[in-house]
Amino acid sequence: MQSSGNTILLAAGDYRAQIVSVGAGLAELTWQGKHLVIPHNPEEMPLAHLGKVLIPWPNRIANGCYQYEGQDYQLPINEHSSQAAIHGLLAWRDWQIEALTATRATLTLFLPPSYGYPFTLMSQVIYSLDAETGLSVTIVSKNRGKQPAPYGVGIHPYLTCNLAPVDDCMLHLPAKQVFAVDTQANPTTLYPVEEMDLDYSILRTVGDKKIDHTFRTHGSPWEMQMIHQQQALSVSLFSDQPWLQVYSGEKLNRQGLAVEPMSCPPNAFNSGTDLILLKPEEQHQLFFNIRGKTAG
């Protein structure tokens, strides 16, 4: 057993994918031998939540505390610089491989109640690789408890144009609004993207811009795109979720952008913004797709 659990290899046409059971994580994705996500060695614990599934909340909960149905709950603080509980409870759990073929893998995990999150979930992640459409991922969670459960979901891939610096990439994001944040990186006010110099609705170069922001997508589904002309490579991510976190990857030498489709924005357990309340036996589904193509 490696640090990232069991490793799964998928192949279809010019695509190759490597999945690890810890965090149901996407460890590698290539097309025609070029990296579409920043890879990590399964024998090592990856930095910066590379490729991990984020359940039952994406991003952060301020001070690790929230109130639900008149009850206060406290979660472990795992980002001390911001005093936040980040990225849920399943990113470092070892998921079970339920089904596996040459092009498709299904991983499942049971989340029992805990003091900070006294709710019961069964989650499933389905990775499917296709020679034409690339990598499709579906994340499904069902409430297996007897009371409604607050819930959010996201995933943390870092898109890359074959590990080229993001400074040289062009970026298109279908978003018109973006959150400003406070000193602890919690969202405060939604602004038009142009007011924060984060308007990528028209393709433009990233340059030396530092990005670590939550964008509100308009219209569902949507697609974002990164292009590197010298690599002759375009990488796109398509999803059906209303929120998108983008991070310019300083922790990873700016070799890619974290592009995280999310069902809700950061701190939704406190703000209530797009927070999902899963009824008993009700389920929620997140879908996204990553593909590569030749940039003209």
Side-chain angles (χ1 to χ4, degrees):
M1 181 72 72
Q2 303 177 45
S3 295
S4 295
N6 294 302
T7 302
I8 298 165
L9 301 177
L10 305 179
D14 291 329
Y15 286 95
R16 300 290 182 270
Q18 187 168 247
I19 314 301
V20 292
S21 59
V22 171
L26 176 60
E28 186 174 53
L29 177 64
T30 63
W31 174 72
Q32 294 186 348
K34 294 182 177 182
H35 291 286
L36 304 185
V37 301
I38 297 179
H40 75 81
N41 186 338
E43 296 180 0
E44 300 173 354
M45 187 178 78
L47 297 172
H49 286 80
L50 271 171
K52 300 303 184 184
V53 171
L54 315 176
I55 292 173
W57 70 88
N59 215 293
R60 66 190 60 248
I61 295 176
N63 301 310
C65 62
Y66 65 100
Q67 187 178 87
Y68 180 70
E69 296 291 327
Q71 181 71 37
D72 292 324
Y73 295 103
Q74 179 67 56
L75 293 155
I77 303 296
N78 57 350
E79 187 180 71
H80 292 279
S81 61
S82 65
Q83 288 296 297
I86 64 166
H87 296 334
L89 300 171
L90 302 186
W92 305 107
R93 293 277 301 276
D94 192 26
W95 293 57
Q96 302 301 306
I97 302 172
E98 182 178 273
L100 181 61
T101 69
T103 60
R104 184 181 174 95
T106 302
L107 299 93
T108 60
L109 189 64
F110 174 71
L111 177 64
S114 60
Y115 293 129
Y117 188 79
F119 310 98
T120 307
L121 300 177
M122 179 64 77
S123 295
Q124 181 181 73
V125 182
I126 304 166
Y127 285 96
S128 181
L129 202 58
D130 181 87
E132 297 298 324
T133 60
L135 181 70
S136 294
V137 184
T138 304
I139 304 172
V140 183
S141 289
K142 177 181 283 190
N143 182 357
R144 301 307 302 269
K146 296 182 179 180
Q147 60 177 323
Y151 176 79
V153 58
I155 190 167
H156 211 302
Y158 281 78
L159 299 193
T160 183
C161 290
N162 203 32
L163 305 181
V166 296
D167 306 53
D168 302 328
C169 292
M170 301 186 74
L171 176 64
H172 172 248
L173 288 177
K176 296 180 180 179
Q177 291 178 297
V178 62
F179 266 119
V181 297
D182 63 19
T183 57
Q184 291 183 307
N186 299 304
T188 55
T189 304
L190 270 174
Y191 287 99
V193 289
E194 57 269 18
E195 290 189 19
M196 296 186 65
D197 191 25
L198 291 168
D199 185 3
Y200 295 94
S201 59
I202 298 175
L203 191 67
R204 64 184 258 210
T205 302
V206 176
D208 60 0
K209 183 76 172 177
K210 291 185 178 181
I211 308 171
D212 193 4
H213 293 80
T214 302
F215 293 81
R216 184 178 183 179
T217 63
H218 288 267
S220 181
W222 51 266
E223 185 173 32
M224 61 77 58
Q225 186 179 31
M226 283 177 61
I227 297 174
H228 193 281
Q229 295 292 353
Q230 288 79 11
Q231 293 280 346
L233 181 61
S234 169
V235 184
S236 64
L237 187 146
F238 171 98
S239 186
D240 57 0
Q241 298 302 295
W243 298 92
L244 177 66
Q245 183 76 19
V246 178
Y247 165 56
S248 48
E250 280 71 25
K251 292 179 181 178
L252 298 166
N253 299 315
R254 290 178 64 94
Q255 290 185 312
L257 287 176
V259 180
E260 310 164 42
M262 305 184 300
S263 63
C264 58
N267 205 32
F269 273 44
N270 286 302
S271 70
T273 303
D274 283 343
L275 182 65
I276 297 162
L277 298 180
L278 279 180
K279 298 177 182 177
E281 298 304 312
E282 186 178 27
Q283 67 181 33
H284 175 270
Q285 177 173 299
L286 176 152
F287 173 83
F288 75 99
N289 169 272
I290 301 174
R291 71 177 70 188
K293 66 179 181 179
T294 302

